[in-house]
């Protein structure tokens, strides 16, 4: 068992190093691409550096996901308070409805409304990214046993104490699962953001598609996939560290997850 | 006839049955009873081969169950379990018709059979046939479970705590219905329970088990009268004499003499009741005997404290 | 307040969502309703309802007041819900009518023969307020009211379209110029999505059953499939190109089958890989939630392994598996859009062509049918999951 887990650790370190070198060392990347695509002459996309595109990508995702998580979370908490209860069915219905919208559709609509560039993309990612967080916040809070809340109130907790000390801790796992879904979707949609001029890793993929250069496509695709997988893995570690794995999986809560 | 012959069953290293031997005569209700985990359900599942023994034999009509094709064996044995186990996506009617369907019976036959059986178990066929299991109460689901087991008219029924999940009042109704049903149908039944009162009520024979062993195999009166060891004595409890009276019918011990009975007496007992009930009623009146009436409320005779005492003592000494 | 019977009279209270819908609708009255463009790449000028037509503004404002008034009048809750849902439907249809009347007349007035009316903020806000009212109240209304209203809305829009009243709307213009291609791309879109989801069902369901039956298989299958789902769609499409190009060069018969590095083949494969997770996961879940007592009862009655699978396990599992297919289908219809970037067919071609030409109307023309498809597919599955399999209605 121990030997196996250390083997996994070593594998991860190696993968991480290879991935890092691929992104940050042009010569390493060129070597790999030359082996894979011997027929291609132009292996390295020179217009923008890969680390730069990665940076753009991460800032797109980070900015939109932080904003979306805050908004989704606040809205979710609001509609589960007594003052916002009236909106619960409405928000739930609209958000379920909106989740059938493909993220790419929202991204594409950002252009007619807001134009080209970084900010419209952030806006689109933000808009769609709200939904999983919102849904899971509502679901997480709603699934807290009503008896527990009553017990908390019975001990004389104020509404905000009930929220902070009973509801949110119990809903945290589901909410984090929603954030995870939201971030992964945003990483994917941000890749397509290149088509509305947002920069990011999609840039080199699109350039490769336009110029029929498979090496470019591969460069961008591998990097984007690596970012997504690493982020997902980070989240799963986070969930393992912070939440007891015994109290149920998150699988039930992201069944309407889109990827893009 | 079903025989258990030195049956041994392991779960991993845990020995659930440790050489179990007993016989289940035809046309009788044999109750397996014992504390939780003693191997009752395990024994039952060996009969329809949901489990296979590690040693020893289970025989049905002299043939080892191993020699039957497993599905055929099971289709010839009705099986009722505690939570009914009705298939959630089928109507009551289709649930009941399931085994006949497996046996290749046609649709109209199955439908008629389902309606007949619903009638038999006391559920209105027309309002229940098309319901889904999720629309039934626990007791209703349990009855449907029994109906389903009876559908293919199997000679043998296995019932694993069939009334375990039902509230006490309904349980008694179900038990009584089961008893009168069994009087009509004369199936060979193995009935698992850990409720001694239930066992005493429905059993023709009782097999008392403990830790994978048979402690005593006897008629209920015998078990209550002569528990064979300390465990059995403790299991049947200190009120075993009282329980035993539950086995005897008033009609067998009453006197035909109606002259000594004041017809105005309010307290009486039906002839179909048990001596235990009769005793309970006598203890509530100042006299030491009460009238016995029939179903039409006519006085048939009387039952006395003395007769009950003699029955209890006499039974115990035989 | 609102009870099941609907007979009780609601208290005199304007509910918050009503206020919310009215505010959104009122905002719509003040925002530009349309952008009037001289040609398809023109930035255009905004046209708000107030500046265009006073009578219509009054009518719309009246429409928006009705929900408030209705909320104040005493009446059975069901009837009120029906009224409010009805007003919502009017608000959904009205903007189109405005486009057909006000919009078109402005074009005539300004002598813009080739001009077009592009729906703008106000247009969408009015529709949104209608949707809010509708979704809030259609369920509480009498039996079939909601369904009838949906039919009525669709019918109204279709008739307007059919009578040629909507021709001046910008994206309808875009549609008219490429009507034939529109249908071929629509078919291509559906075909790609259907092939991907279809093959994902063929693989995902057995894989789910196998993961349930053989616990050893479970972990590797699940990690690979959920890893695939994590990869951005464009990246997954991109990763398909190189190996497929290589294979088709190596084996000519593949090329004859139409398998190349770009085009439909890599798209279908990537979309197939994407659809696996929801189907696999729901199949697995559906089997693992099965009550063991029911299985034991089935076995005890003498069902063979095959009968257990087909008469018990699959029927009970079907609604859950169907939900997985539903998620996969909705998701795939969206992702097929992206596949246009690697040369596959489908409605994504309009969207990305629109983005390439900076032609907003073309983008909208591409996006609308994609969204409608996603919603329709979602609803159709919802309908079948809810109705077709009675008895088991618990799992969503
Ligand atoms: N599938 C199994 N795996 C391992 N051990 C089992 C299994 N089923 C039963 N056992 C064990 O075998 C013993 C006998 O179990 P069995 O189910 O026959 O008991 P029982 O008499 O029916 O009890 P109860 O009245 O609680 O139903 C118990 O100790 C139980 O823990
Ligand atoms: Mg048991």
């Amino acid at each position: 068992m121990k030997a196996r887990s250390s083997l996994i650790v070593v594998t991860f370190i190696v993968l991480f190093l290879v991935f890092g070198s691929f992104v940050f060392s042009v010569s390493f990347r060129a070597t790999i691409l030359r082996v894979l695509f011997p027929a291609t002459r132009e292996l390295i996309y020179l217009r923008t550096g890969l680390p730069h595109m990665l940076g753009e990508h991460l800032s797109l995702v980070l900015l939109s996901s932080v904003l979306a998580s805050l908004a989704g979370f606040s809205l979710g908490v609001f509609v589960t308070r007594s003052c916002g209860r009236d909106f619960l069915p409405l928000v739930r219905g609209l958000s379920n409805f909106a989740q059938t919208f493909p993220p790419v559709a929202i991204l594409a609509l950002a252009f007619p409304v807001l134009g080209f560039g970084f900010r419209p993309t952030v806006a689109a990612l933000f808009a769609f990214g709200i939904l999983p967080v919102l849904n899971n916040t509502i679901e997480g809070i709603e699934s807290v046993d009503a008896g527990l809340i009553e017990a908390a109130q019975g001990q004389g907790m104020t509404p905000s104490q009930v929220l902070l000390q009973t509801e949110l801790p119990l809903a945290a796992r589901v909410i984090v699962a929603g954030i995870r879904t939201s971030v992964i979707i945003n990483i994917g949609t941000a890749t397509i953001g290149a088509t509305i001029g947002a920069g990011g890793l999609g840039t080199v993929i699109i350039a490769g598609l336009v110029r029929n250069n498979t090496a470019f496509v591969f460069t961008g695709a591998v990097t984007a996939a690596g970012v997504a997988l690493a982020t997902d893995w980070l989240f799963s570690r986070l969930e393992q560290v912070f939440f007891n794995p015994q109290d149920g999986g998150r699988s039930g809560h992201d069944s309407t997850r889109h990827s893009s | 006839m079903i025989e258990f012959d030195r049956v041994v069953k392991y779960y991993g290293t845990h020995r659930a049955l440790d050489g179990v031997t007993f016989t289940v005569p035809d046309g009788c209700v044999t109750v397996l009873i014992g504390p939780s985990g003693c191997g009752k359900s395990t024994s039952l599942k060996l009969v329809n081969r949901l489990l296979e023994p590690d040693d020893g034999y289970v025989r049905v009509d002299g043939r080892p169950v191993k020699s039957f094709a497993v599905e055929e064996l099971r289709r010839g044995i009705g099986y009722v379990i505690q939570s009914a186990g009705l298939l959630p996506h089928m109507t009551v009617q289709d649930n009941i018709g399931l085994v006949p369907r497996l046996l290749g019976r046609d649709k109209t036959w199955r439908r008629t059979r389902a309606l007949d059986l619903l009638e038999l178990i006391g559920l209105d066929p027309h309002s229940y046939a098309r319901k889904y299991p999720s629309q039934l109460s626990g007791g209703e689901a349990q009855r449907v479970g029994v109906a389903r087991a009876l559908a293919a008219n199997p000679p043998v029924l296995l019932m694993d705590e069939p009334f375990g999940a039902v509230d006490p009042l309904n349980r008694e109704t179900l038990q009584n219905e089961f008893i009168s049903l069994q009087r009509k149908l004369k199936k060979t039944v193995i009935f698992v329970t850990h409720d001694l009162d239930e066992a005493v009520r429905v059993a023709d024979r009782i097999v008392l088990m403990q830790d994978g062993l048979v402690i005593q195999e006897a008629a209920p009166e015998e078990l209550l009268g002569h528990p064979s060891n300390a465990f059995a004595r403790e299991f049947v409890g200190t009120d075993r004499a009282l329980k035993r009276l539950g086995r005897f019918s008033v009609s067998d011990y009453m006197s035909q003499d109606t002259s000594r009975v004041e017809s105005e007496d309010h307290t009486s007992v039906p002839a179909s009741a048990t001596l235990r009930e009769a005793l309970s009623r006598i203890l509530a009146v100042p006299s030491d005997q009460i009238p016995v009436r029939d179903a039409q409320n006519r006085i048939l005779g009387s039952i006395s404290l003395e007769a009950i005492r003699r029955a209890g003592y006499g039974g115990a000494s035989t | 307040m609102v009870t099941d019977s609907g007979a009780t009279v609601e208290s005199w209270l304007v509910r918050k969502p009503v206020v919310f819908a009215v505010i959104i609708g009122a905002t719509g009255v003040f925002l530009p309703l349309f952008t009037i463009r001289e040609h398809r790449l023109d930035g255009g000028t905004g046209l708000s309802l107030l500046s265009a037509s006073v009578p219509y503004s009054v009518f719309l404002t009246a429409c928006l007041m009705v929900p408030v008034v209705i909320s104040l009048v005493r009446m059975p809750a069901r009837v009120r819900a029906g009224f409010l849902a009805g007003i919502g439907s009017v608000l959904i249809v009205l903007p189109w009518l405005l486009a057909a009347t006000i919009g078109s007349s402005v074009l005539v007035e300004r002598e813009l023969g080739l001009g077009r009316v592009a729906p703008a903020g106000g247009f969408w806000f009015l529709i949104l307020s209608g949707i809010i009212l509708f979704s809030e109240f259609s369920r509480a209304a009498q039996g079939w009211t909601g369904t009838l209203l949906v039919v009525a809305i669709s019918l109204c829009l279709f008739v307007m379209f059919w009578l040629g009243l909507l021709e001046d709307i910008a994206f309808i213009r875009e549609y008219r110029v490429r009507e034939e291609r529109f249908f071929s791309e629509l078919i291509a879109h559906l075909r790609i999505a259907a092939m991907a989801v279809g093959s994902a069902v063929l693989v995902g369901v057995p894989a789910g059953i196998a993961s349930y039956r053989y616990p050893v298989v479970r972990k590797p299958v699940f990690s690979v499939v959920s890893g695939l789902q994590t990869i951005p769609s464009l990246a997954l499409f991109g990763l398909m190109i190189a190996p497929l190009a290589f294979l088709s060069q190596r084996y000519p018969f593949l090329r004859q089958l139409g398998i190349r590095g770009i085009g439909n083949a890599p798209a279908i494969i990537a979309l197939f890989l994407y659809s696996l997770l929801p189907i696999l996961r729901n199949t697995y879940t559906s089997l693992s939630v099965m009550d063991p007592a029911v299985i034991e009862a089935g076995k005890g009655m003498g069902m063979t392994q095959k009968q257990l699978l087909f008469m018990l396990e699959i029927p009970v599992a079907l609604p859950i598996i169907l939900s997985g297919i539903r998620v996969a289908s909705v998701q795939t219809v969206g992702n097929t859009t992206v596949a246009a970037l690697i040369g596959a067919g489908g409605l994504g071609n309009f969207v990305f062509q629109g983005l390439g030409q900076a032609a907003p109307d073309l983008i909208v023309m591409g996006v609308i049918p994609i969204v409608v498809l996603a919603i329709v597919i979602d609803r159709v599955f919802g309908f079948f999951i809810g109705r077709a399999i009675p008895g088991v209605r618990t799992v969503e």
Side-chain angles (χ1 to χ4, degrees), chain A residues 83 90 111 255 257 259-260, chain C residues 16 229 233 327 331 335 363:
Chain A
C83 56
L90 178 70
F111 165 66
S255 60
R257 157 168 159 186
S259 291
S260 164
Chain C
K16 287 179 199 167
Q229 172 101 5
S233 58
V327 172
Q331 179 188 284
N335 283 334
I363 299 173

Side-chain angles (χ1 to χ4, degrees), chain B residues 11-12 14-17 34-43 45 51 82 160-161 192-194 209:
Chain B
Y11 289 113
H14 175 71
R15 194 183 303 185
L17 295 184
S36 190
C38 66
K40 307 179 292 286
S41 301
T42 304
S43 306
K45 289 177 192 170
L51 297 174
Q82 174 167 355
D160 195 347
E161 301 189 30
V192 167
T193 181
H194 50 231
M209 295 178 69

Side-chain angles (χ1 to χ4, degrees), chain B residues 86 92 96 118 121 123 136 140-148:
Chain B
L86 301 177
V92 162
I96 297 177
L118 280 173
I121 57 166
L123 292 178
L136 301 177
E140 289 165 349
Q142 214 54 70
R143 289 168 204 232
V144 175
V146 173
R148 181 176 66 179

